[in-house]
Tab-separated table of all heavy atoms in Angstrom:
chain	number	residue	atom	x	y	z
A	3	SER	N	-220.958	-103.430	98.887
A	3	SER	CA	-220.578	-102.501	99.960
A	3	SER	C	-219.116	-102.693	100.295
A	3	SER	O	-218.568	-103.788	100.180
A	3	SER	CB	-221.409	-102.739	101.184
A	3	SER	OG	-222.819	-102.642	100.912
A	4	CYS	N	-218.533	-101.604	100.769
A	4	CYS	CA	-217.145	-101.575	101.255
A	4	CYS	C	-217.146	-100.944	102.590
A	4	CYS	O	-217.332	-99.708	102.692
A	4	CYS	CB	-216.264	-100.808	100.238
A	4	CYS	SG	-214.599	-100.572	100.813
A	5	ALA	N	-217.010	-101.752	103.621
A	5	ALA	CA	-217.027	-101.241	105.014
A	5	ALA	C	-215.620	-101.100	105.526
A	5	ALA	O	-214.789	-102.011	105.410
A	5	ALA	CB	-217.824	-102.208	105.889
A	6	ALA	N	-215.337	-99.947	106.079
A	6	ALA	CA	-213.994	-99.658	106.618
A	6	ALA	C	-213.973	-99.777	108.137
A	6	ALA	O	-214.964	-99.397	108.804
A	6	ALA	CB	-213.560	-98.246	106.191
A	7	SER	N	-212.883	-100.264	108.643
A	7	SER	CA	-212.699	-100.305	110.071
A	7	SER	C	-211.275	-100.009	110.389
A	7	SER	O	-210.364	-100.195	109.571
A	7	SER	CB	-213.061	-101.684	110.640
A	7	SER	OG	-212.248	-102.695	110.136
A	8	GLY	N	-211.042	-99.469	111.585
A	8	GLY	CA	-209.681	-99.115	112.027
A	8	GLY	C	-209.252	-97.753	111.554
A	8	GLY	O	-208.153	-97.339	111.844
A	9	PHE	N	-210.086	-97.051	110.847
A	9	PHE	CA	-209.756	-95.703	110.402
A	9	PHE	C	-211.050	-94.977	110.057
A	9	PHE	O	-212.090	-95.566	109.831
A	9	PHE	CB	-208.800	-95.715	109.219
A	9	PHE	CG	-209.421	-96.269	107.938
A	9	PHE	CD1	-209.842	-95.414	106.923
A	9	PHE	CD2	-209.513	-97.656	107.749
A	9	PHE	CE1	-210.342	-95.941	105.750
A	9	PHE	CE2	-210.031	-98.171	106.574
A	9	PHE	CZ	-210.491	-97.303	105.571
A	10	THR	N	-210.934	-93.647	109.955
A	10	THR	CA	-212.098	-92.845	109.591
A	10	THR	C	-212.095	-92.631	108.076
A	10	THR	O	-211.137	-92.069	107.562
A	10	THR	CB	-212.059	-91.486	110.341
A	10	THR	OG1	-211.990	-91.732	111.762
A	10	THR	CG2	-213.308	-90.663	110.009
A	11	LEU	N	-213.189	-93.053	107.456
A	11	LEU	CA	-213.218	-92.993	105.983
A	11	LEU	C	-213.121	-91.600	105.446
A	11	LEU	O	-212.738	-91.410	104.308
A	11	LEU	CB	-214.537	-93.644	105.576
A	11	LEU	CG	-214.616	-94.207	104.155
A	11	LEU	CD1	-213.582	-95.298	103.958
A	11	LEU	CD2	-216.009	-94.717	103.879
A	12	ASP	N	-213.469	-90.589	106.270
A	12	ASP	CA	-213.465	-89.188	105.811
A	12	ASP	C	-212.161	-88.760	105.122
A	12	ASP	O	-212.165	-87.875	104.275
A	12	ASP	CB	-213.667	-88.266	107.029
A	12	ASP	CG	-214.992	-88.463	107.693
A	12	ASP	OD1	-215.410	-89.609	107.825
A	12	ASP	OD2	-215.586	-87.470	108.105
A	13	TYR	N	-211.032	-89.353	105.582
A	13	TYR	CA	-209.745	-88.915	105.078
A	13	TYR	C	-209.235	-89.669	103.865
A	13	TYR	O	-208.097	-89.500	103.458
A	13	TYR	CB	-208.730	-89.045	106.220
A	13	TYR	CG	-209.061	-88.168	107.427
A	13	TYR	CD1	-209.623	-88.743	108.554
A	13	TYR	CD2	-208.821	-86.798	107.412
A	13	TYR	CE1	-209.996	-87.937	109.627
A	13	TYR	CE2	-209.144	-86.017	108.486
A	13	TYR	CZ	-209.739	-86.582	109.569
A	13	TYR	OH	-210.049	-85.807	110.670
A	14	TYR	N	-210.145	-90.477	103.285
A	14	TYR	CA	-209.682	-91.374	102.202
A	14	TYR	C	-210.538	-91.269	100.959
A	14	TYR	O	-211.742	-91.164	101.029
A	14	TYR	CB	-209.726	-92.812	102.657
A	14	TYR	CG	-208.689	-93.137	103.714
A	14	TYR	CD1	-208.893	-92.758	105.039
A	14	TYR	CD2	-207.507	-93.796	103.386
A	14	TYR	CE1	-207.956	-93.056	106.027
A	14	TYR	CE2	-206.580	-94.049	104.358
A	14	TYR	CZ	-206.771	-93.694	105.632
A	14	TYR	OH	-205.834	-93.958	106.595
A	15	ALA	N	-209.860	-91.209	99.822
A	15	ALA	CA	-210.547	-91.457	98.558
A	15	ALA	C	-210.696	-92.966	98.418
A	15	ALA	O	-209.827	-93.766	98.804
A	15	ALA	CB	-209.734	-90.926	97.397
A	16	ILE	N	-211.821	-93.402	97.828
A	16	ILE	CA	-212.125	-94.803	97.737
A	16	ILE	C	-212.402	-95.154	96.225
A	16	ILE	O	-213.009	-94.331	95.480
A	16	ILE	CB	-213.390	-95.173	98.513
A	16	ILE	CG1	-213.226	-94.774	99.970
A	16	ILE	CG2	-213.722	-96.653	98.344
A	16	ILE	CD1	-212.173	-95.572	100.705
A	17	ALA	N	-211.942	-96.277	95.837
A	17	ALA	CA	-212.151	-96.737	94.447
A	17	ALA	C	-212.647	-98.206	94.441
A	17	ALA	O	-212.302	-98.942	95.373
A	17	ALA	CB	-210.921	-96.596	93.602
A	18	TRP	N	-213.358	-98.531	93.430
A	18	TRP	CA	-213.731	-99.914	93.135
A	18	TRP	C	-212.977	-100.406	91.907
A	18	TRP	O	-212.922	-99.697	90.931
A	18	TRP	CB	-215.233	-100.058	92.896
A	18	TRP	CG	-216.068	-100.005	94.135
A	18	TRP	CD1	-216.697	-98.895	94.692
A	18	TRP	CD2	-216.388	-101.099	95.001
A	18	TRP	NE1	-217.409	-99.266	95.818
A	18	TRP	CE2	-217.223	-100.636	96.033
A	18	TRP	CE3	-216.054	-102.457	95.012
A	18	TRP	CZ2	-217.717	-101.400	97.073
A	18	TRP	CZ3	-216.557	-103.250	96.029
A	18	TRP	CH2	-217.332	-102.760	97.042
A	19	PHE	N	-212.481	-101.622	92.025
A	19	PHE	CA	-211.817	-102.281	90.886
A	19	PHE	C	-212.470	-103.637	90.713
A	19	PHE	O	-213.178	-104.162	91.604
A	19	PHE	CB	-210.314	-102.460	91.186
A	19	PHE	CG	-209.583	-101.161	91.318
A	19	PHE	CD1	-209.556	-100.480	92.522
A	19	PHE	CD2	-208.885	-100.682	90.222
A	19	PHE	CE1	-208.892	-99.270	92.605
A	19	PHE	CE2	-208.181	-99.438	90.317
A	19	PHE	CZ	-208.222	-98.766	91.532
A	20	ARG	N	-212.218	-104.247	89.582
A	20	ARG	CA	-212.674	-105.619	89.372
A	20	ARG	C	-211.629	-106.381	88.575
A	20	ARG	O	-210.827	-105.771	87.818
A	20	ARG	CB	-214.028	-105.606	88.630
A	20	ARG	CG	-214.029	-105.044	87.209
A	20	ARG	CD	-215.481	-105.002	86.660
A	20	ARG	NE	-215.495	-104.511	85.284
A	20	ARG	CZ	-216.625	-104.215	84.649
A	20	ARG	NH1	-217.821	-104.429	85.246
A	20	ARG	NH2	-216.584	-103.798	83.396
A	21	GLN	N	-211.696	-107.655	88.732
A	21	GLN	CA	-210.677	-108.508	88.081
A	21	GLN	C	-211.269	-109.852	87.738
A	21	GLN	O	-211.987	-110.474	88.544
A	21	GLN	CB	-209.462	-108.679	88.955
A	21	GLN	CG	-208.264	-109.291	88.252
A	21	GLN	CD	-206.971	-109.210	89.080
A	21	GLN	OE1	-207.035	-109.089	90.299
A	21	GLN	NE2	-205.859	-109.221	88.427
A	22	VAL	N	-210.962	-110.304	86.522
A	22	VAL	CA	-211.295	-111.673	86.130
A	22	VAL	C	-209.998	-112.426	85.905
A	22	VAL	O	-208.960	-111.817	85.623
A	22	VAL	CB	-212.134	-111.706	84.833
A	22	VAL	CG1	-213.462	-111.009	85.081
A	22	VAL	CG2	-211.406	-111.069	83.678
A	23	PRO	N	-210.062	-113.760	86.046
A	23	PRO	CA	-208.798	-114.521	85.926
A	23	PRO	C	-208.115	-114.262	84.578
A	23	PRO	O	-208.753	-114.236	83.520
A	23	PRO	CB	-209.299	-115.959	86.031
A	23	PRO	CG	-210.492	-115.881	86.848
A	23	PRO	CD	-211.181	-114.595	86.430
A	24	GLY	N	-206.798	-114.078	84.621
A	24	GLY	CA	-206.070	-113.862	83.404
A	24	GLY	C	-206.030	-112.444	82.887
A	24	GLY	O	-205.358	-112.156	81.893
A	25	LYS	N	-206.735	-111.545	83.576
A	25	LYS	CA	-206.758	-110.179	83.124
A	25	LYS	C	-206.272	-109.262	84.204
A	25	LYS	O	-206.329	-109.588	85.400
A	25	LYS	CB	-208.174	-109.768	82.689
A	25	LYS	CG	-208.657	-110.440	81.407
A	25	LYS	CD	-209.914	-109.797	80.905
A	25	LYS	CE	-210.343	-110.363	79.579
A	25	LYS	NZ	-211.559	-109.720	79.020
A	26	GLU	N	-205.829	-108.052	83.828
A	26	GLU	CA	-205.439	-107.079	84.822
A	26	GLU	C	-206.651	-106.523	85.570
A	26	GLU	O	-207.768	-106.499	85.095
A	26	GLU	CB	-204.721	-105.926	84.076
A	26	GLU	CG	-203.347	-106.283	83.546
A	26	GLU	CD	-202.579	-105.074	83.080
A	26	GLU	OE1	-203.103	-103.962	83.163
A	26	GLU	OE2	-201.467	-105.270	82.601
A	27	ARG	N	-206.299	-106.008	86.765
A	27	ARG	CA	-207.350	-105.391	87.561
A	27	ARG	C	-207.780	-104.088	86.882
A	27	ARG	O	-206.970	-103.295	86.477
A	27	ARG	CB	-206.785	-105.073	88.974
A	27	ARG	CG	-207.831	-104.811	89.985
A	27	ARG	CD	-207.247	-104.942	91.389
A	27	ARG	NE	-206.956	-106.324	91.727
A	27	ARG	CZ	-206.645	-106.724	92.943
A	27	ARG	NH1	-206.564	-105.843	93.969
A	27	ARG	NH2	-206.376	-108.004	93.212
A	28	GLU	N	-209.106	-103.935	86.783
A	28	GLU	CA	-209.642	-102.790	86.055
A	28	GLU	C	-210.363	-101.819	86.987
A	28	GLU	O	-211.151	-102.235	87.832
A	28	GLU	CB	-210.676	-103.338	85.011
A	28	GLU	CG	-211.532	-102.271	84.322
A	28	GLU	CD	-212.685	-102.837	83.555
A	28	GLU	OE1	-213.101	-103.985	83.881
A	28	GLU	OE2	-213.222	-102.151	82.709
A	29	GLY	N	-210.074	-100.530	86.839
A	29	GLY	CA	-210.734	-99.527	87.612
A	29	GLY	C	-212.151	-99.380	87.139
A	29	GLY	O	-212.428	-99.295	85.970
A	30	VAL	N	-213.099	-99.400	88.116
A	30	VAL	CA	-214.518	-99.329	87.815
A	30	VAL	C	-215.092	-97.933	88.119
A	30	VAL	O	-215.771	-97.318	87.349
A	30	VAL	CB	-215.306	-100.384	88.577
A	30	VAL	CG1	-216.807	-100.208	88.377
A	30	VAL	CG2	-214.865	-101.775	88.155
A	31	SER	N	-214.746	-97.458	89.389
A	31	SER	CA	-215.267	-96.171	89.801
A	31	SER	C	-214.488	-95.696	90.978
A	31	SER	O	-213.767	-96.461	91.654
A	31	SER	CB	-216.761	-96.379	90.239
A	31	SER	OG	-217.325	-95.108	90.610
A	32	CYS	N	-214.539	-94.383	91.260
A	32	CYS	CA	-213.889	-93.853	92.418
A	32	CYS	C	-214.672	-92.672	92.932
A	32	CYS	O	-215.501	-92.078	92.225
A	32	CYS	CB	-212.444	-93.426	92.135
A	32	CYS	SG	-212.240	-92.026	91.055
A	33	ILE	N	-214.469	-92.330	94.191
A	33	ILE	CA	-215.163	-91.236	94.840
A	33	ILE	C	-214.222	-90.474	95.732
A	33	ILE	O	-213.439	-91.069	96.489
A	33	ILE	CB	-216.438	-91.764	95.547
A	33	ILE	CG1	-217.322	-90.633	96.058
A	33	ILE	CG2	-216.076	-92.698	96.702
A	33	ILE	CD1	-218.732	-91.059	96.500
A	34	SER	N	-214.344	-89.178	95.734
A	34	SER	CA	-213.435	-88.330	96.564
A	34	SER	C	-213.959	-88.340	98.000
A	34	SER	O	-215.041	-88.828	98.339
A	34	SER	CB	-213.398	-86.934	95.990
A	34	SER	OG	-214.717	-86.323	95.975
A	35	ARG	N	-213.161	-87.728	98.866
A	35	ARG	CA	-213.451	-87.706	100.285
A	35	ARG	C	-214.831	-87.178	100.620
A	35	ARG	O	-215.517	-87.715	101.466
A	35	ARG	CB	-212.399	-86.883	101.020
A	35	ARG	CG	-211.054	-87.543	101.159
A	35	ARG	CD	-210.067	-86.608	101.805
A	35	ARG	NE	-210.539	-86.121	103.100
A	35	ARG	CZ	-209.916	-85.167	103.829
A	35	ARG	NH1	-208.783	-84.649	103.368
A	35	ARG	NH2	-210.393	-84.778	104.970
């Protein structure tokens, strides 16, 4: 889960990334507003 605070999520696109040591951060998924 990704919980947001301090702002209303409605105005933001959200993405998930993942990273393992020694490798670049990899885009996993994203979702529009």
